[in-house]
Amino acid sequence: MCNTCGCNITPGNHSLVMAEQPKNGVTTVSVLQNLLSHNNHQAEHNRAHFDVSKVLVINLMSSPGSGKTALLEATIKRLRDSLKIAVIEGDLETENDTKRIQAQGVPAYQITTGTACHLDAHLVHTALHHLALENLDLLFIENVGNLVCPASFDLGHHRNVVLLSVTEGDDKPAKYPVMFRSADLMLISKTDLLPHLDDFSLRKAAQNLHNLANVAPVIEFSSKDGEGMDAWIVWLQTEIAAYQALLLNKQTQRPKIQQNNPLLDSKPNKPKFYPVNK
Amino acid sequence: MHELSLCDDLLSQVIVIAAQHNAQSVESITVKIGVLAGIEPLLLENAFAMIKVGTIAELAEFIMEIAPVIILCQNCGISAESATNHLLCKSCQSPETNLISGDELILASVALSVQTH
């Protein structure tokens, strides 16, 4: 994706997009701007903030009830002595999840979205004013439970983690390709329930992810019996180290499918400049 | 259902462009939607019909061009149209493929009625 305007123009679709059919008496203006450019500008601004504070930001996405908050509780218990962690919680209603996180002794800020089915970069930006970013190593954004809409919105984060609980079925990656294509890591959760299920195949779930040409790692995880906890912690630590190394080279990390596309760098209609204090 | 918020952004972009060209009205709006963009075209169309009322784009025709998924294999160089949930190379089964079409979400062009004196 183009860093300037967030468009999806590639060498493959360039000619298709440029093709126009002029009409008599009417001026046709070629625009070529991503419909999400407003969100994507805000996302880049958020990412700049994160990078100044050197905090790795992970966007947790899944269906409702697949264990995102339980994953966070277990992770915080394990890492709170070695890393400074905070959480942004997105939910339609209630502050239940925020209270669960705060009970673990780390800062949490709740975004109540009302009827909105996803977090966007502007909502996250508002939440950032309530967190002391410069004191953090790791920030989790627990997105609204939804396998559709959250995948389309860059929040300025660095990595996408998608949870798939075993009760949902192993064909979810095939049913929701937009979401699972964006995963930098797929976490199969609630594996302690596997003995009670006869229709969930770990192999098939991984194969369905692979079919999306996504070679992201898959971790089988249970916050009840601790399966996969070590692998998850190692993944997190590796990502933090990789991110810090990128920062030293004045680069940043981007989640899957939010890549730069150098082909088209047309300016947006209302260019904005966001000064970031060093 | 994020089509409505998307339309809000789309309409603001169109209004800015119309103002820049001193347009009297917007005749048509053409968007490119990839089938892997996470957008339901029918919902987008309905949302736009709702949101354009009372704006310079009130009578604009909303044209959606749907882009298929086309992948290019980095391994064997073959490009092919694919299903949204099968993005491996059809020829060599490699996962090293690039999506060259299919995730577009683009305001491609706007046709404006501009009065000349």
Side-chain angles (χ1 to χ4, degrees):
Chain A
M1 191 179 281
C2 165
N3 198 17
T4 309
C5 67
C7 71
N8 304 59
I9 313 286
T10 68
N13 66 15
H14 192 246
S15 59
L16 296 172
V17 171
M18 298 300 285
E20 285 170 27
Q21 297 128 7
K23 291 179 188 170
N24 290 339
V26 173
T27 311
T28 301
V29 183
S30 179
V31 188
L32 300 183
Q33 189 164 313
N34 192 302
L35 296 190
L36 284 167
S37 56
H38 195 50
N39 180 77
N40 292 345
H41 275 99
Q42 181 65 59
E44 287 305 324
H45 173 55
N46 291 354
R47 196 171 282 117
H49 269 301
F50 297 141
D51 293 350
V52 168
S53 302
K54 299 183 171 66
V55 51
L56 180 75
V57 183
I58 291 180
N59 182 19
L60 274 183
M61 297 184 284
S62 76
S63 314
S66 59
K68 293 186 295 295
T69 311
L71 168 74
L72 287 178
E73 286 173 317
T75 308
I76 292 164
K77 258 182 204 142
R78 178 79 174 257
L79 290 178
R80 66 185 162 201
D81 294 332
S82 56
L83 291 175
K84 281 164 276 174
I85 303 174
V87 178
I88 294 174
E89 287 281 349
D91 259 317
L92 301 189
E93 293 294 346
T94 83
E95 298 202 347
N96 296 352
D97 290 355
T98 304
K99 286 173 188 155
R100 282 171 65 182
I101 298 299
Q102 284 168 342
Q104 298 299 322
V106 303
Y109 183 79
Q110 177 85 37
I111 302 173
T112 314
T113 59
T115 53
C117 48
H118 59 274
L119 294 179
D120 67 19
H122 298 90
L123 287 170
V124 169
H125 183 251
T126 308
L128 297 186
H129 290 296
H130 300 269
L131 292 168
L133 279 185
E134 61 280 4
N135 300 327
L136 297 177
D137 300 308
L138 184 58
L139 173 65
F140 289 104
I141 301 175
E142 183 179 336
N143 217 310
V144 178
N146 178 347
L147 280 179
V148 184
C149 310
S152 299
F153 291 85
D154 186 3
L155 307 176
H157 58 285
H158 303 107
R159 281 293 181 231
N160 286 324
V161 173
V162 181
L163 271 76
L164 167 61
S165 66
V166 295
T167 52
E168 294 169 58
D170 52 29
D171 59 350
K172 279 289 175 291
K175 283 185 175 170
Y176 297 90
V178 178
M179 173 60 74
F180 284 89
R181 205 167 74 85
S182 75
D184 293 294
L185 170 73
M186 180 167 87
L187 223 116
I188 301 180
S189 60
K190 305 192 183 181
T191 53
D192 54 290
L193 294 177
L194 274 176
H196 307 287
L197 304 168
D198 57 6
D199 55 355
F200 189 96
S201 157
L202 294 166
R203 190 189 55 79
K204 276 189 199 156
Q207 182 62 46
N208 283 329
L209 181 72
H210 185 78
N211 285 348
L212 303 176
N214 189 344
V215 292
V218 178
I219 295 177
E220 294 153 22
F221 181 87
S222 165
S223 51
K224 294 273 184 241
D225 65 18
E227 187 195 359
M229 192 67 195
D230 290 343
W232 161 242
I233 297 297
V234 167
W235 184 85
L236 278 175
Q237 286 165 338
T238 311
E239 287 297 332
I240 291 172
Y243 171 62
Q244 297 296 341
L246 281 169
L247 288 180
L248 286 178
N249 290 323
K250 303 207 182 306
Q251 291 174 298
T252 186
Q253 184 69 282
R254 282 167 201 281
K256 199 159 276 172
I257 69 166
Q258 303 284 355
Q259 303 297 328
N260 283 340
N261 179 354
L263 191 78
L264 196 106
D265 57 354
S266 65
K267 292 282 180 287
N269 289 310
K270 285 189 292 182
K272 284 183 184 164
F273 176 66
Y274 299 105
V276 174
N277 297 325
K278 293 275 175 203
Chain B
M1 179 51 190
H2 53 293
E3 282 79 2
L4 197 61
S5 54
L6 207 63
C7 266
D8 205 25
D9 265 9
L10 168 65
L11 190 64
S12 340
Q13 290 180 21
V14 169
I15 288 171
V16 169
I17 293 159
Q20 282 171 345
H21 291 81
N22 295 316
Q24 267 69 54
S25 65
V26 179
E27 298 295 311
S28 72
I29 296 164
T30 306
V31 293
K32 270 263 169 196
I33 309 288
V35 293
L36 263 178
I39 289 296
E40 185 50 46
L42 192 63
L43 293 180
L44 189 69
E45 197 172 14
N46 290 342
F48 191 75
M50 204 155 59
I51 211 165
K52 70 180 183 181
V53 175
T55 71
I56 194 167
E58 177 151 14
L59 298 173
E61 187 189 356
F62 192 60
I63 303 165
M64 289 185 294
E65 293 174 4
I66 308 299
V69 172
I70 300 172
I71 54 169
L72 173 67
C73 180
Q74 300 302 294
N75 187 35
C76 67
I78 285 173
S79 74
E81 201 171 322
S82 283
T84 51
N85 55 14
H86 205 281
L87 306 175
L88 301 175
C89 175
K90 283 182 178 170
S91 176
C92 71
Q93 298 301 316
S94 167
E96 299 284 311
T97 59
N98 285 353
L99 197 73
I100 58 175
S101 162
D103 63 350
E104 300 89 341
L105 202 56
I106 300 165
L107 170 57
S109 65
V110 182
L112 302 170
S113 180
V114 183
Q115 222 168 46
T116 48
H117 294 285

Short mmCIF file of all heavy atoms in Angstrom, two decimals, chain A residues 173 186 204-216 218, chain B residues 85-88 93-95:
data_model
loop_
_atom_site.label_atom_id
_atom_site.label_comp_id
_atom_site.label_asym_id
_atom_site.label_seq_id
_atom_site.Cartn_x
_atom_site.Cartn_y
_atom_site.Cartn_z
N PRO A 173 -10.69 -19.55 8.55
CA PRO A 173 -9.83 -18.80 7.63
C PRO A 173 -10.35 -18.80 6.19
O PRO A 173 -10.18 -17.83 5.46
CB PRO A 173 -8.47 -19.52 7.73
CG PRO A 173 -8.50 -20.16 9.08
CD PRO A 173 -9.94 -20.57 9.29
N MET A 186 -1.40 -16.52 13.80
CA MET A 186 -2.72 -17.06 14.13
C MET A 186 -2.58 -17.87 15.41
O MET A 186 -1.72 -18.75 15.51
CB MET A 186 -3.27 -17.94 13.01
CG MET A 186 -4.67 -18.51 13.34
SD MET A 186 -5.51 -19.23 11.91
CE MET A 186 -4.86 -20.91 11.96
N LYS A 204 -6.22 -28.88 9.62
CA LYS A 204 -7.07 -28.22 8.63
C LYS A 204 -7.09 -26.70 8.84
O LYS A 204 -7.10 -25.94 7.87
CB LYS A 204 -8.51 -28.77 8.68
CG LYS A 204 -8.71 -30.03 7.88
CD LYS A 204 -10.20 -30.37 7.81
CE LYS A 204 -10.40 -31.83 7.43
NZ LYS A 204 -11.71 -32.33 7.91
N ALA A 205 -7.14 -26.29 10.10
CA ALA A 205 -7.14 -24.85 10.38
C ALA A 205 -5.87 -24.21 9.83
O ALA A 205 -5.92 -23.16 9.19
CB ALA A 205 -7.26 -24.62 11.88
N ALA A 206 -4.73 -24.86 10.07
CA ALA A 206 -3.46 -24.33 9.57
C ALA A 206 -3.43 -24.36 8.04
O ALA A 206 -2.91 -23.43 7.40
CB ALA A 206 -2.30 -25.13 10.14
N GLN A 207 -3.99 -25.43 7.44
CA GLN A 207 -4.01 -25.54 5.99
C GLN A 207 -4.86 -24.42 5.37
O GLN A 207 -4.50 -23.82 4.36
CB GLN A 207 -4.56 -26.91 5.56
CG GLN A 207 -4.59 -27.14 4.04
CD GLN A 207 -3.21 -27.10 3.41
OE1 GLN A 207 -2.26 -27.71 3.92
NE2 GLN A 207 -3.06 -26.35 2.32
N ASN A 208 -6.01 -24.12 6.01
CA ASN A 208 -6.88 -23.05 5.50
C ASN A 208 -6.19 -21.70 5.54
O ASN A 208 -6.43 -20.85 4.68
CB ASN A 208 -8.20 -23.02 6.27
CG ASN A 208 -9.14 -24.13 5.84
OD1 ASN A 208 -9.12 -24.54 4.68
ND2 ASN A 208 -9.96 -24.62 6.76
N LEU A 209 -5.36 -21.49 6.56
CA LEU A 209 -4.57 -20.26 6.62
C LEU A 209 -3.53 -20.25 5.50
O LEU A 209 -3.36 -19.25 4.80
CB LEU A 209 -3.88 -20.14 7.98
CG LEU A 209 -3.03 -18.87 8.17
CD1 LEU A 209 -3.92 -17.65 8.32
CD2 LEU A 209 -2.11 -19.00 9.39
N HIS A 210 -2.86 -21.38 5.33
CA HIS A 210 -1.82 -21.52 4.30
C HIS A 210 -2.41 -21.28 2.90
O HIS A 210 -1.76 -20.70 2.03
CB HIS A 210 -1.20 -22.91 4.40
CG HIS A 210 -0.05 -23.13 3.48
ND1 HIS A 210 1.22 -22.64 3.75
CD2 HIS A 210 0.04 -23.75 2.28
CE1 HIS A 210 2.03 -22.96 2.76
NE2 HIS A 210 1.34 -23.64 1.85
N ASN A 211 -3.66 -21.73 2.69
CA ASN A 211 -4.33 -21.55 1.39
C ASN A 211 -4.49 -20.08 1.02
O ASN A 211 -4.70 -19.75 -0.13
CB ASN A 211 -5.71 -22.21 1.39
CG ASN A 211 -5.62 -23.72 1.30
OD1 ASN A 211 -4.55 -24.27 1.02
ND2 ASN A 211 -6.72 -24.40 1.56
N LEU A 212 -4.43 -19.19 2.03
CA LEU A 212 -4.52 -17.75 1.76
C LEU A 212 -3.14 -17.18 1.42
O LEU A 212 -2.97 -15.96 1.43
CB LEU A 212 -5.11 -17.03 2.97
CG LEU A 212 -6.48 -17.51 3.44
CD1 LEU A 212 -6.90 -16.76 4.70
CD2 LEU A 212 -7.52 -17.30 2.34
N ALA A 213 -2.19 -18.07 1.16
CA ALA A 213 -0.80 -17.67 0.89
C ALA A 213 -0.23 -16.92 2.10
O ALA A 213 0.60 -16.04 1.95
CB ALA A 213 -0.69 -16.84 -0.39
N ASN A 214 -0.75 -17.24 3.26
CA ASN A 214 -0.26 -16.61 4.48
C ASN A 214 0.61 -17.63 5.22
O ASN A 214 0.12 -18.67 5.67
CB ASN A 214 -1.43 -16.17 5.35
CG ASN A 214 -0.97 -15.31 6.52
OD1 ASN A 214 0.22 -15.29 6.86
ND2 ASN A 214 -1.90 -14.61 7.13
N VAL A 215 1.89 -17.33 5.31
CA VAL A 215 2.82 -18.27 5.95
C VAL A 215 3.10 -17.88 7.40
O VAL A 215 4.11 -18.27 7.98
CB VAL A 215 4.15 -18.37 5.15
CG1 VAL A 215 3.91 -19.03 3.81
CG2 VAL A 215 4.77 -17.00 4.95
N ALA A 216 2.17 -17.11 7.98
CA ALA A 216 2.32 -16.70 9.37
C ALA A 216 2.37 -17.93 10.29
O ALA A 216 1.75 -18.95 10.00
CB ALA A 216 1.15 -15.81 9.78
N VAL A 218 1.59 -20.41 13.42
CA VAL A 218 0.35 -20.78 14.12
C VAL A 218 0.74 -21.31 15.49
O VAL A 218 1.63 -22.17 15.60
CB VAL A 218 -0.40 -21.88 13.33
CG1 VAL A 218 -1.66 -22.31 14.08
CG2 VAL A 218 -0.76 -21.39 11.92
N ASN B 85 -10.40 -17.34 -1.19
CA ASN B 85 -9.80 -18.10 -0.09
C ASN B 85 -8.79 -19.13 -0.58
O ASN B 85 -8.46 -20.06 0.15
CB ASN B 85 -10.88 -18.74 0.78
CG ASN B 85 -11.82 -19.60 -0.02
OD1 ASN B 85 -11.52 -19.91 -1.18
ND2 ASN B 85 -12.94 -19.97 0.56
N HIS B 86 -8.33 -18.97 -1.82
CA HIS B 86 -7.26 -19.85 -2.29
C HIS B 86 -6.25 -19.02 -3.08
O HIS B 86 -6.40 -18.80 -4.28
CB HIS B 86 -7.82 -20.98 -3.14
CG HIS B 86 -6.91 -22.17 -3.15
ND1 HIS B 86 -5.79 -22.22 -3.94
CD2 HIS B 86 -6.92 -23.30 -2.42
CE1 HIS B 86 -5.16 -23.37 -3.71
NE2 HIS B 86 -5.82 -24.04 -2.79
N LEU B 87 -5.23 -18.56 -2.37
CA LEU B 87 -4.29 -17.61 -2.96
C LEU B 87 -2.92 -18.23 -3.21
O LEU B 87 -1.95 -17.52 -3.44
CB LEU B 87 -4.17 -16.37 -2.06
CG LEU B 87 -5.50 -15.69 -1.70
CD1 LEU B 87 -5.30 -14.57 -0.72
CD2 LEU B 87 -6.19 -15.16 -2.96
N LEU B 88 -2.85 -19.56 -3.17
CA LEU B 88 -1.61 -20.24 -3.53
C LEU B 88 -1.51 -20.27 -5.05
O LEU B 88 -2.52 -20.19 -5.74
CB LEU B 88 -1.62 -21.68 -3.00
CG LEU B 88 -1.78 -21.88 -1.50
CD1 LEU B 88 -1.90 -23.36 -1.18
CD2 LEU B 88 -0.61 -21.26 -0.75
N GLN B 93 1.76 -24.39 -6.52
CA GLN B 93 1.26 -24.45 -5.13
C GLN B 93 2.08 -23.61 -4.15
O GLN B 93 1.94 -23.75 -2.94
CB GLN B 93 1.20 -25.91 -4.63
CG GLN B 93 0.26 -26.81 -5.41
CD GLN B 93 -1.17 -26.30 -5.41
OE1 GLN B 93 -1.68 -25.89 -4.38
NE2 GLN B 93 -1.81 -26.29 -6.57
N SER B 94 2.94 -22.72 -4.68
CA SER B 94 3.76 -21.91 -3.79
C SER B 94 2.91 -20.87 -3.07
O SER B 94 2.00 -20.29 -3.66
CB SER B 94 4.85 -21.21 -4.60
OG SER B 94 5.45 -20.20 -3.82
N PRO B 95 3.19 -20.61 -1.77
CA PRO B 95 2.52 -19.50 -1.09
C PRO B 95 3.20 -18.15 -1.35
O PRO B 95 2.72 -17.11 -0.88
CB PRO B 95 2.65 -19.89 0.39
CG PRO B 95 3.89 -20.69 0.46
CD PRO B 95 4.08 -21.37 -0.87
#
